[in-house]
Short mmCIF file of all heavy atoms in Angstrom, two decimals:
data_model
loop_
_atom_site.label_atom_id
_atom_site.label_comp_id
_atom_site.label_asym_id
_atom_site.label_seq_id
_atom_site.Cartn_x
_atom_site.Cartn_y
_atom_site.Cartn_z
N LYS A 1097 -51.55 -51.86 39.30
CA LYS A 1097 -52.41 -51.20 40.24
C LYS A 1097 -52.32 -51.89 41.59
O LYS A 1097 -52.21 -53.10 41.70
CB LYS A 1097 -53.87 -51.19 39.73
CG LYS A 1097 -54.11 -50.24 38.59
CD LYS A 1097 -55.60 -50.19 38.26
CE LYS A 1097 -55.86 -49.19 37.12
NZ LYS A 1097 -57.31 -49.12 36.81
N VAL A 1098 -52.39 -51.06 42.65
CA VAL A 1098 -52.35 -51.54 44.03
C VAL A 1098 -53.49 -50.89 44.79
O VAL A 1098 -53.79 -49.70 44.62
CB VAL A 1098 -51.03 -51.19 44.69
CG1 VAL A 1098 -51.01 -51.74 46.11
CG2 VAL A 1098 -49.86 -51.79 43.91
N THR A 1099 -54.16 -51.68 45.67
CA THR A 1099 -55.25 -51.16 46.49
C THR A 1099 -54.82 -51.23 47.95
O THR A 1099 -54.49 -52.29 48.45
CB THR A 1099 -56.54 -51.98 46.28
OG1 THR A 1099 -56.92 -51.92 44.90
CG2 THR A 1099 -57.64 -51.47 47.14
N PHE A 1100 -54.87 -50.05 48.63
CA PHE A 1100 -54.59 -49.97 50.07
C PHE A 1100 -55.91 -49.96 50.82
O PHE A 1100 -56.85 -49.21 50.45
CB PHE A 1100 -53.79 -48.73 50.41
CG PHE A 1100 -52.41 -48.71 49.84
CD1 PHE A 1100 -52.13 -48.20 48.61
CD2 PHE A 1100 -51.35 -49.24 50.56
CE1 PHE A 1100 -50.85 -48.19 48.09
CE2 PHE A 1100 -50.06 -49.25 50.07
CZ PHE A 1100 -49.83 -48.72 48.82
N MET A 1129 -60.16 -46.60 51.59
CA MET A 1129 -59.52 -47.32 50.50
C MET A 1129 -58.83 -46.33 49.58
O MET A 1129 -59.32 -45.21 49.34
CB MET A 1129 -60.58 -48.11 49.69
CG MET A 1129 -60.00 -49.02 48.60
SD MET A 1129 -61.30 -50.00 47.79
CE MET A 1129 -61.85 -51.01 49.15
N LEU A 1130 -57.67 -46.77 49.07
CA LEU A 1130 -56.89 -45.93 48.14
C LEU A 1130 -56.32 -46.82 47.06
O LEU A 1130 -55.72 -47.87 47.35
CB LEU A 1130 -55.74 -45.22 48.89
CG LEU A 1130 -54.76 -44.42 48.03
CD1 LEU A 1130 -55.47 -43.23 47.42
CD2 LEU A 1130 -53.57 -43.99 48.84
N GLU A 1131 -56.48 -46.42 45.77
CA GLU A 1131 -55.94 -47.14 44.62
C GLU A 1131 -54.89 -46.28 43.98
O GLU A 1131 -55.12 -45.10 43.69
CB GLU A 1131 -57.07 -47.51 43.63
CG GLU A 1131 -58.00 -48.57 44.13
CD GLU A 1131 -58.97 -49.03 43.03
OE1 GLU A 1131 -58.94 -48.41 41.94
OE2 GLU A 1131 -59.74 -49.97 43.25
N VAL A 1132 -53.73 -46.92 43.66
CA VAL A 1132 -52.62 -46.20 43.04
C VAL A 1132 -52.03 -47.11 41.99
O VAL A 1132 -52.25 -48.31 41.93
CB VAL A 1132 -51.55 -45.77 44.05
CG1 VAL A 1132 -52.14 -44.83 45.08
CG2 VAL A 1132 -50.96 -47.01 44.73
N VAL A 1133 -51.14 -46.49 41.15
CA VAL A 1133 -50.34 -47.23 40.18
C VAL A 1133 -48.90 -47.23 40.73
O VAL A 1133 -48.32 -46.19 40.99
CB VAL A 1133 -50.37 -46.59 38.78
CG1 VAL A 1133 -49.47 -47.33 37.84
CG2 VAL A 1133 -51.79 -46.58 38.23
#
Side-chain angles (χ1 to χ4, degrees):
K1097 287 186 178 181
V1098 180
T1099 301
F1100 293 91
M1129 186 176 296
L1130 175 66
E1131 289 187 355
V1132 298
V1133 177

